[in-house]
């Protein structure tokens, strides 16, 4: 049973102990033959079904060019689930899910295919009881977003009928710069009402990212220190060991900054730096995030306060890795950044003078995402200076992934010595403290879409602010030279180390 929003009216939405189960509904995936769909979306749908969070009769429609029958599609979903789902395979869950699997073959400008999609949806409404409630997931290259939403409108697929809903789920990046994001927004909103548009930033679906708010606002011990009086600087790192794999078509011309700084890293910055929201409802969260992003100052000296890099051949995990320019499908003259680092300042009372260093890259030393809040040194040290030679700065590190948790680093007396102080760590690890394993980000986000819960989806205001920050940086890079080279398997270009060294700091080596 569900109301028009997709939520079950019999449960008290405020009671967080009850499972949030989606009402009658279905999901249409455009670009269903792509990597994201196979590795993340299909497995997430199965995991939700396995956890009993999907309604009986839930339906999954794949839309793509491939000449598949329904059975071929069902087989692909099966393979994807077997390989990539988080929860164990259960035949009875699969048998139920497969009842609602359908495939529609066509290209995005094929009117007949959209008519077939329309018929398929009506049939599923009758056969599976989906109640006309469908979300359209655009897991397609960004250049196709406008076409797909326009086709949905033209074929009446986006019509919001009394008592049911139609939603659009749009993968990142939302636009290529501020202007194109606003234009895309206009096109999408011409078809779907604001509250039925869900822009994906899958980092917001990660448990550890949601935990930033719990850590900051459910406790008393961190927030008093969370400001310019105690914090020296903040480092936000998203490092990947993989290269671009089979994603040349998507990645070349987009690059690291547009791919992840514009969305994931600026969202992490916003959650780390924002003020306490009045509530955890979408409006209140967006207001605070937008406010703090609005206070981010664009670096004055873009040549010194930003660095971009591109990986050259090297060694990674004992294997030889080719350079970016030698990857399949990459223009050998490409200037696309596979590494980006920026120094940002936040012009407000809490953060004045505290730099936020953001960096990301492919083919770096290892896969790790973390937010390190590095504190100032004690204003005075009563110890001999030899006693504190091995004492670094206190730090609180939110380990987003892998090895999810939080580390606090501080100085402690070395046993036995007269009085020598050295850095030690105190760790919280999700794996040790909780018996439940964390859901995948896409499980959470797909469920939220079906429930109509927009808290974890960036709104246009946030997207606009992110492009405001990134556009001048990209423009500067376009006009000035080429990305610095770094060897695969290292921690990025030396220019990035120099950027911090100029401030008397260094990057953490997680
Ligand atoms: C995606 C980027 O948003 O995030 C990819 O487009 C990147 O380039 C991926 O590899 C990383 O996601 P995760 O969840 O593995 O950190």
């Amino acid at each position: 049973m569900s109301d028009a929003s997709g939520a079950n009216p019999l449960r008290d939405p405020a009671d967080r102990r009850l499972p949030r189960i989606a009402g009658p509904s279905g999901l249409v995936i455009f670009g269903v033959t792509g990597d994201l769909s196979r590795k993340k979306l299909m497995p997430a749908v199965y995991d939700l079904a396995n956890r009993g969070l999907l309604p009986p009769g839930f339906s999954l429609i794949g839309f793509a060019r491939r000449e598949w029958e329904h059975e071929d599609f069902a087989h692909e979903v099966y393979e994807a689930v077997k390989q990539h789902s988080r929860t164990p395979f259960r035949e009875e869950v699969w048998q139920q899910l497969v009842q609602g699997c359908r495939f529609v073959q066509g290209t995005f400008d094929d009117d007949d295919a959209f008519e077939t999609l329309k018929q398929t949806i009506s049939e599923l409404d009758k056969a599976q009881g989906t109640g006309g409630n469908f979300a359209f997931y655009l897991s397609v290259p960004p250049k196709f977003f406008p076409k797909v939403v326009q086709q949905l409108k033209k074929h009446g697929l986006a019509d919001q009928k009394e008592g049911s809903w139609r939603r659009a789920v749009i993968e990142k990046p939302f636009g290529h710069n501020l202007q194109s994001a606003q234009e895309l927004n206009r096109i999408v909103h011409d078809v779907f009402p604001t509250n039925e548009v869900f822009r994906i930033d899958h980092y917001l679906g990660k448990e550890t990212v949601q935990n930033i708010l719990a850590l900051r606002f459910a406790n008393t011990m961190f927030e008093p220190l969370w400001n310019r009086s105690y914090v020296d600087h903040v480092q936000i790192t998203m490092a990947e060991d993989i290269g671009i794999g089979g994603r040349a078509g998507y990645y070349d011309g987009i690059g690291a900054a547009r791919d992840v700084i514009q969305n994931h890293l600026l969202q992490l910055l916003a959650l780390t730096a924002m003020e306490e929201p009045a509530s955890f409802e979408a409006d209140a969260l967006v207001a605070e995030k937008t406010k703090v992003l609005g206070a981010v100052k664009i670096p004055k000296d873009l040549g010194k306060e930003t660095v971009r890099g591109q990986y050259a051949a090297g060694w990674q995990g004992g294997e030889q890795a080719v350079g970016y320019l030698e990857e399949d499908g990459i223009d050998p003259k490409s200037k696309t950044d596979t590494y980006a680092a920026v120094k940002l300042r936040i012009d407000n009372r809490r953060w004045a003078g505290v730099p936020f260093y953001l960096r990301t890259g492919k083919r770096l030393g290892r896969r790790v995402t973390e937010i390190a809040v590095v504190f100032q040194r004690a204003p005075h040290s009563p110890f001999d200076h030899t006693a504190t030679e091995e004492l670094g700065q206190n730090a609180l590190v939110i380990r987003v992934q892998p090895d999810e948790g939080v580390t606090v680093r501080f100085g402690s007396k070395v046993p036995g010595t007269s009085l020598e102080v050295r850095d030690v760590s105190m760790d919280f690890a999700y794996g040790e403290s909780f018996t439940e394993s964390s859901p995948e980000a896409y499980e959470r986000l797909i469920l939220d879409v079906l429930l109509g819960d927009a808290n974890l989806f960036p709104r246009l205001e946030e997207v606009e602010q992110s492009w405001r920050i990134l556009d001048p940086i990209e423009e500067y890079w376009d006009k000035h030279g080429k990305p610095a080279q770094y060897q695969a398997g290292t921690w990025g270009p030396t220019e990035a180390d120099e950027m911090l060294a100029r401030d008397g700091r260094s990057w953490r080596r997680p």
Side-chain angles (χ1 to χ4, degrees):
M1 192 176 201
S2 73
D3 62 16
S5 74
N8 183 340
L10 294 182
R11 61 178 290 281
D12 172 3
D15 189 341
R16 297 278 168 205
R17 292 163 309 178
L18 295 175
R20 303 154 70 240
I21 300 175
S25 51
L27 181 69
V28 179
I29 304 180
F30 291 97
V32 78
T33 51
D35 245 26
L36 178 72
S37 168
R38 226 166 16 88
K39 292 194 181 144
K40 299 288 180 188
L41 307 182
M42 294 173 181
V45 166
Y46 168 82
D47 286 323
L48 287 171
N50 206 6
R51 291 163 63 204
L53 303 180
L54 294 184
F58 174 83
S59 298
L60 177 66
I61 306 178
F63 186 112
R65 263 181 315 196
R66 214 64 66 89
E67 304 234 335
W68 279 346
E69 298 297 328
H70 297 311
E71 298 71 41
D72 302 318
F73 172 60
H75 181 72
E76 289 297 315
V77 181
Y78 176 83
E79 290 293 323
V81 166
K82 278 270 182 157
Q83 256 187 41
H84 301 290
S85 67
R86 180 180 64 86
T87 60
F89 186 80
R90 289 198 292 146
E91 188 61 32
E92 64 275 24
V93 174
W94 170 249
Q95 285 308 332
Q96 229 197 355
L97 193 61
V98 77
Q99 301 286 321
C101 281
R102 300 287 186 281
F103 183 70
V104 176
Q105 195 259 329
T107 56
F108 301 139
D109 39 32
D110 177 353
D111 287 326
D112 291 344
F114 279 82
E115 282 303 312
T116 311
L117 176 60
K118 193 171 176 179
Q119 269 169 29
T120 310
I121 287 180
S122 333
E123 282 161 23
L124 285 168
D125 280 345
K126 290 194 199 96
Q128 295 283 104
T130 33
N133 303 315
F134 275 84
F136 300 100
Y137 198 121
L138 276 63
S139 174
V140 299
K143 64 175 182 229
F144 295 119
F145 292 163
K147 184 76 206 170
V148 177
V149 287
Q150 280 155 354
Q151 284 285 47
L152 291 172
K153 178 177 179 174
K154 180 169 169 194
H155 295 275
L157 283 155
D159 295 351
Q160 309 284 334
K161 304 225 173 81
E162 185 68 31
S164 68
W165 50 259
R166 294 290 161 99
R167 293 180 181 141
V169 187
I170 305 195
E171 260 298 333
K172 53 157 268 283
F174 196 84
H176 197 70
N177 54 20
L178 178 58
Q179 202 192 347
S180 59
Q182 287 169 334
E183 172 63 8
L184 174 61
N185 198 57
R186 203 189 47 69
I187 295 170
V188 174
H189 285 303
D190 182 41
V191 179
F192 289 93
T194 317
N195 60 339
E196 306 294 11
V197 177
F198 294 75
R199 294 175 197 81
I200 294 273
D201 181 327
H202 79 280
Y203 264 58
L204 297 182
K206 290 183 190 274
E207 283 290 330
T208 39
V209 172
Q210 292 162 44
N211 190 39
I212 300 171
L213 297 183
L215 180 97
R216 292 190 54 199
F217 303 125
N219 300 304
T220 49
M221 58 196 274
F222 305 116
E223 208 48 27
L225 307 179
W226 215 258
N227 56 57
R228 66 185 307 273
S229 304
Y230 298 97
V231 176
D232 177 69
H233 71 280
V234 177
Q235 292 189 19
I236 304 183
T237 299
M238 176 185 167
E240 293 186 280
D241 50 4
I242 52 170
I244 50 144
R247 297 169 77 225
Y250 159 80
Y251 199 85
D252 204 33
I254 287 196
R258 285 195 176 96
D259 184 37
V260 300
I261 293 190
Q262 186 271 339
N263 35 77
H264 307 328
L265 266 63
L266 285 174
Q267 283 289 333
L268 294 182
L269 174 143
L271 293 168
T272 306
M274 71 185 212
E275 297 302 315
E276 182 177 298
S279 76
F280 287 118
E281 296 305 318
D283 285 347
L285 277 169
V286 171
E288 291 307 336
K289 282 196 282 171
T290 310
K291 195 165 89 191
V292 77
L293 288 172
V296 170
K297 224 164 93 182
I298 295 154
K300 267 203 211 96
D301 188 344
L302 289 162
K304 290 216 172 101
E305 294 178 339
T306 71
V307 173
R308 66 179 161 152
Q310 195 179 66
Y311 61 82
W315 287 87
Q316 188 117 45
E319 284 182 19
Q320 219 158 2
V322 298
Y324 180 72
L325 298 179
E326 291 103 54
E327 296 272 16
D328 281 349
I330 298 296
D331 172 2
K333 293 205 190 75
S334 173
K335 284 171 36 178
T336 299
D337 47 306
T338 62
Y339 176 99
V342 296
K343 171 181 171 183
L344 299 174
R345 290 189 183 277
I346 301 178
D347 254 3
N348 63 20
R349 182 169 286 240
R350 188 192 278 262
W351 296 116
V354 178
F356 280 66
Y357 300 102
L358 276 49
R359 66 173 162 166
T360 183
K362 302 249 181 227
R363 287 265 182 246
L364 296 184
R366 60 178 279 240
R367 173 175 183 254
V368 58
T369 300
E370 61 162 46
I371 302 161
V373 178
V374 181
F375 293 93
Q376 297 168 13
R377 289 187 186 279
H380 161 75
S381 171
F383 304 95
D384 276 358
H385 105 100
T386 52
T388 53
E389 264 172 355
E390 293 194 49
L391 176 65
Q393 279 168 276
N394 294 167
L396 186 139
V397 184
I398 300 171
R399 303 195 309 270
V400 174
Q401 67 188 26
D403 184 25
E404 291 83 356
V406 179
T407 301
V408 180
R409 195 182 66 189
F410 55 98
S412 178
K413 180 181 172 303
V414 180
T417 61
S418 51
L419 221 169
E420 190 192 339
V421 184
R422 199 183 288 167
D423 279 338
V424 293
S425 302
M426 209 154 68
D427 266 354
F428 147 62
Y430 272 79
E432 284 167 18
S433 301
F434 298 109
T435 48
E436 308 88 338
S437 68
S438 298
E440 278 280 330
Y442 281 99
E443 281 174 67
R444 172 69 198 258
L445 296 179
I446 291 174
L447 180 62
D448 281 2
V449 167
L450 301 176
L451 288 163
D453 183 343
N455 285 14
L456 299 180
F457 297 84
R459 289 238 190 111
L460 179 67
E461 300 91 293
E462 298 165 70
V463 174
E464 286 179 331
Q465 282 300 339
S466 307
W467 285 123
R468 174 192 68 80
I469 298 164
L470 204 60
D471 279 357
I473 300 176
E474 292 282 358
E475 278 161 27
Y476 177 87
W477 287 348
D478 267 355
K479 289 194 198 120
H480 294 84
K482 293 200 299 203
Q485 298 278 299
Y486 62 98
Q487 251 182 32
T490 64
W491 280 95
T494 48
E495 284 81 347
D497 296 327
E498 289 160 11
M499 176 171 104
L500 263 71
R502 278 194 288 277
D503 293 347
R505 302 191 176 100
S506 55
W507 291 108
R508 286 169 44 79
R509 288 280 178 263

